[in-house]
Amino acid sequence: MSTPRRLPSRNPFTGEGAAWRIAGAAMLVVTVAGQHPFEQFSRFRAKDVLSLVPNWRFFAPNPCMHDSHFLYRTVDADGSASPWHDAFATETRKPRHIVWFPTRRADKGIVDACADILPTLEFGGFEGAARTPGYRMVAEHLRVLIGSRGPVPEDVRGFQFALAKGTGFDTRHRPSLMFVSPFVPLDPQAPGTPLTRVPAKTPAKV
């Protein structure tokens, strides 16, 4: 009975295709190291000017724990305000939304715009925030949204908007209000504002 012939051992770092194997191994090591939260490992990503190293950490190590709620209410000429309405898309979720849900991009844009407003409020209040691109985008978005949700009553002169955050199904924590805007005229060229006649009420439970 003949003894099986032993194949010669092959060095993965030599021979044909060695350069590709070395590059693949190096990429694997850098990718794994780049996911580690330790600051020293972030040097790999800092030098990755072409963003070749994937990032699989997503929101870690500080995951998002709250849902954002963007609300608005209309204000009449006499200063009375309507109930608060949800300004986000109310479209019923469908299976196709797993791969195609473009209206959610508009909601994400509004949340990002509100994030642009928040730091300004700490220093310049709404007077300073009103000059930011995020504030102007939110105001214009709501002008279009209010008009698209049906005929606007003649006595409506403007609106307010608010950003709140809640913990979704976790009912141990109540929703919290992040800010409520001053009166914003529905017509940006309108001369007057009933702002002083609008009580600063907290939005209804989200």
Side-chain angles (χ1 to χ4, degrees), residues 22-33:
I22 293 172
M27 188 66 180
L28 177 61
V29 171
V30 171
T31 298
V32 173

Side-chain angles (χ1 to χ4, degrees), residues 115-165:
D116 183 39
I117 296 171
L118 284 171
T120 311
L121 291 177
E122 298 180 5
F123 302 100
F126 276 102
E127 184 177 352
R131 294 191 290 269
T132 64
Y135 189 97
R136 294 196 295 268
M137 188 186 84
V138 168
E140 198 57 38
H141 171 77
L142 284 174
R143 288 187 179 103
V144 174
L145 180 66
I146 292 171
S148 68
R149 290 190 170 180
V152 180
E154 293 184 0
D155 56 345
V156 170
R157 293 293 180 268
F159 56 88
Q160 287 180 287
F161 59 89
L163 183 67
K165 65 179 181 179

Side-chain angles (χ1 to χ4, degrees), residues 74-200:
T74 57
V75 181
D76 296 342
D78 61 359
S80 59
S82 72
W84 290 95
H85 304 284
D86 191 344
F88 283 156
T90 56
E91 185 177 357
T92 303
R93 296 293 182 91
K94 299 180 177 62
R96 62 181 173 82
H97 289 155
I98 297 176
V99 295
W100 181 247
F101 199 0
T103 53
R104 292 295 296 171
R105 293 184 178 274
D107 295 345
K108 177 62 167 60
I110 292 300
V111 172
D112 290 345
C114 288
D116 183 39
I117 296 171
L118 284 171
T120 311
L121 291 177
E122 298 180 5
F123 302 100
F126 276 102
E127 184 177 352
R131 294 191 290 269
T132 64
Y135 189 97
R136 294 196 295 268
M137 188 186 84
V138 168
E140 198 57 38
H141 171 77
L142 284 174
R143 288 187 179 103
V144 174
L145 180 66
I146 292 171
S148 68
R149 290 190 170 180
V152 180
E154 293 184 0
D155 56 345
V156 170
R157 293 293 180 268
F159 56 88
Q160 287 180 287
F161 59 89
L163 183 67
K165 65 179 181 179
T167 52
F169 293 103
D170 186 358
T171 56
R172 294 173 300 175
H173 305 281
R174 293 177 58 84
S176 59
L177 187 64
M178 301 181 72
F179 69 78
V180 177
S181 79
F183 172 86
V184 181
L186 195 60
D187 178 4
Q189 305 300 325
T193 166
L195 172 61
T196 56
R197 308 179 69 174
V198 180

Side-chain angles (χ1 to χ4, degrees), residues 29-45 54-63:
V29 171
V30 171
T31 298
V32 173
Q35 313 313 311
H36 199 284
F38 187 53
E39 184 179 355
Q40 297 298 326
F41 288 99
S42 298
R43 294 180 179 179
F44 296 112
R45 194 174 302 283
N55 183 5
W56 296 330
R57 289 179 294 179
F58 295 102
F59 299 107
N62 299 310

